[in-house]
């Protein structure tokens, strides 16, 4: 089940990136909030070290995407 969640997470993160590329920053930000909540839920219910490491990688990636969305270019 956790593997399914990570597959879904990967797809959702790609959608954020696609929205950013197409300059739809508001939609990207909304999706980022949604994915962050999903990640928080995974974190709450995970106790496996491998899953926690994977979750932390996604947290770092989401933080970087958030900074890109908020930075004026």
């Amino acid at each position: 089940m956790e593997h399914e969640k990570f597959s879904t997470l990967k797809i959702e993160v790609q959608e954020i990136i696609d929205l950013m590329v197409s300059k739809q920053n508001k939609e990207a930000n909304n999706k980022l909030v949604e994915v962050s909540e999903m990640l928080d839920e995974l974190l709450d219910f995970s106790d496996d070290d491998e899953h926690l490491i994977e979750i932390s990688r996604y947290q770092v990636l989401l933080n970087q995407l958030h900074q890109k969305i908020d930075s004026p270019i």
Side-chain angles (χ1 to χ4, degrees):
M1 182 163 138
E2 292 291 323
H3 182 67
E4 286 178 28
K5 298 251 185 200
F6 286 119
S7 295
T8 302
L9 199 56
K10 182 178 178 181
I11 293 167
E12 298 286 328
V13 169
Q14 185 59 52
E15 286 181 27
I16 294 168
I17 294 168
D18 292 343
L19 287 167
M20 290 172 64
V21 168
S22 63
K23 305 292 186 199
Q24 299 177 45
N25 287 349
K26 183 174 181 172
E27 291 83 357
N29 196 51
N30 291 341
K31 179 63 103 173
L32 192 139
V33 169
E34 184 181 311
V35 174
S36 293
E37 290 171 358
M38 184 184 345
L39 198 59
D40 288 343
E41 187 176 311
L42 274 174
L43 185 59
D44 289 343
F45 296 105
S46 185
D47 57 357
D48 180 29
D49 285 345
E50 283 185 40
H51 291 157
L52 293 173
I53 290 169
E54 190 70 15
I55 289 169
S56 69
R57 288 179 182 149
Y58 276 102
Q59 286 175 320
V60 169
L61 177 58
L62 290 179
N63 285 335
Q64 291 174 341
L65 291 174
H66 181 69
Q67 289 174 1
K68 291 281 186 192
I69 291 170
D70 285 346
S71 68
I73 297 177

